[in-house]
Amino acid sequence: MTLALGAAVSGCAGDGGATRAGAACASGPVTVGYLPKLGTDPYMTTIRDGANAAAEEIGGDVLYTAPSEATGAAQIPFVNQLIAKKVGAIVISGSDLNGAAAALKKAQQAGITVISVDSDVAPDARSLFINQARTAELGAKMLDSMAELMGGQGEFAVLSSTETAVNQNAWIKDMKARLATDPKLKEMKLVTVAYGQEKADVNAQKAKSLVQAYPDLKGIVVPAGIGLPAAAEALSQTGDLGRVKLTGLAPASLIKKYVRSGDVQDIWWNVHDLGHLSYYAAQALAQCKIEAKRGQKISAGSLGTFTVGDQGEVVLGPATVVTPENIDDFAF
């Protein structure tokens, strides 16, 4: 069940149990506060829906609340509200690495379990990071997809979300490193990195501007769920889509017609499962069923068992390149 922010919250972090790293172990399912970058992003609401499905299976509640701007500073008041509500756990998708770190550490000091999902925060401000796929894998797949669409040569750009976005910056760093060292990519040139600010209209305008600024542009990598559909629609309207190919990350259902036309590819995974896994992990930690240590096993119901890796990272599984042949396999 999803609670409104003003709703009563049950199952706080101090519900009995033995002491764990300065925090009391909950004696049963807790309320888990979910704090995305933006609450209206369909990617984030699908994570919420997956968490709600998990709550139906193992108990507890989901409290979903979010800022209207995708910045770490904007997340701070919402962390403080969740602390005041005495939730048992906070699951945050970080808008940047350190923006809300101090507030998250305050939550930990109050006995609240903190984990990140989708986009990490400073490792000392959380216990686990529930990652959709390995960071290096996503960057590599987006670059390989772009290479395939461009025939391995020509100019391309990256249209990211914000300059502080942790996951996008990691993917871009990996792309640049491969471009500099991989002989198979020597004829590809990254001309610029632009930012869509997690807003559809800004992404649409940026995509048009990139095509105008770089007349030889052959592709754009858009590693943001809001940005890729907006860019595809914008370039379709201007008649540039096709001459300029797109790939990146987005709900496959939102770009189905462009994938089918062969002008867009997508790197994707089951987002509902990401929410499901994050909820199981948060409950297990809050109830001291596991510790945030390498090698620990997290049971996630029908999803199976997952292992905690280095720096508390838990990986949902490999992502898939979405093509005309498999587009119908993705409900979201």
Side-chain angles (χ1 to χ4, degrees):
M1 177 179 70
T2 301
L3 300 173
L5 188 56
V9 177
S10 62
C12 67
D15 285 345
T19 299
R20 171 182 51 86
C25 300
S27 59
V30 302
T31 292
V32 182
Y34 272 76
L35 180 51
K37 299 174 185 177
L38 287 173
T40 56
D41 183 345
Y43 181 95
M44 296 298 174
T45 58
T46 301
I47 286 178
R48 176 204 62 196
D49 293 345
N52 273 322
E56 291 292 327
E57 294 174 5
I58 61 174
D61 292 299
V62 173
L63 176 56
Y64 187 78
T65 183
S68 57
E69 294 291 329
T71 67
Q75 290 180 309
I76 293 172
F78 293 88
V79 174
N80 290 333
Q81 288 180 35
L82 292 171
I83 294 171
K85 289 292 181 181
K86 297 183 179 180
V87 297
I90 292 174
V91 179
I92 183 171
S93 178
S95 283
D96 61 57
L97 199 64
N98 294 303
L104 294 171
K105 290 176 185 178
K106 180 182 174 184
Q108 291 176 316
Q109 291 165 2
I112 298 172
T113 293
V114 177
I115 69 174
S116 57
V117 66
D118 171 65
S119 182
D120 204 6
V121 296
D124 61 348
R126 52 76 172 163
S127 296
L128 297 176
F129 169 37
I130 311 301
N131 199 358
Q132 56 267 32
R134 298 196 183 281
T135 299
E137 175 200 346
L138 290 176
K141 282 195 172 183
M142 282 187 275
L143 191 54
D144 288 341
S145 173
M146 189 81 274
E148 178 184 343
L149 289 168
M150 294 171 54
Q153 58 183 353
E155 296 181 352
F156 74 102
V158 172
L159 177 53
S160 191
S161 56
T162 65
E163 294 184 49
T164 59
V166 180
N167 47 2
Q168 282 95 339
N169 284 342
W171 300 327
I172 294 167
K173 181 180 179 180
D174 286 344
M175 289 183 210
K176 288 180 176 178
R178 277 193 65 206
L179 286 168
T181 59
D182 191 337
K184 294 182 295 184
L185 306 175
K186 65 181 180 180
E187 296 185 41
M188 291 177 63
K189 180 182 179 182
L190 173 59
V191 294
T192 192
V193 178
Y195 301 94
Q197 305 303 325
E198 291 279 4
K199 295 179 180 178
D201 58 339
V202 177
N203 276 282
Q205 185 54 50
K206 291 285 186 179
K208 294 176 184 177
S209 297
L210 286 170
V211 171
Q212 292 169 358
Y214 300 94
D216 294 327
L217 199 69
K218 293 181 67 176
I220 305 175
V221 177
V222 193
I226 291 175
L228 186 54
E233 178 64 24
L235 296 190
S236 176
Q237 291 174 356
T238 62
D240 292 302
L241 188 64
R243 179 179 67 83
V244 178
K245 304 289 188 178
L246 301 179
T247 191
L249 307 177
S253 59
L254 299 183
I255 53 172
K256 184 175 290 190
K257 65 179 179 180
Y258 304 117
V259 171
R260 282 189 170 140
S261 72
D263 298 321
V264 177
Q265 287 187 4
D266 188 19
I267 316 300
W268 207 232
W269 50 88
N270 191 314
V271 181
H272 191 275
D273 286 353
L274 190 62
H276 195 274
L277 173 57
S278 68
Y279 187 85
Y280 267 86
Q283 290 289 358
L285 270 179
Q287 297 175 56
C288 300
K289 293 180 178 178
I290 63 165
E291 296 179 78
K293 294 182 179 180
R294 178 180 173 84
Q296 291 280 290
K297 304 293 185 181
I298 300 173
S299 176
S302 59
L303 295 184
T305 301
F306 297 81
T307 303
V308 178
D310 293 336
Q311 294 189 316
E313 183 181 33
V314 181
V315 178
L316 176 65
T320 302
V321 179
V322 182
T323 65
E325 290 71 35
N326 64 10
I327 182 67
D328 290 327
D329 294 342
F330 296 86
F332 172 71

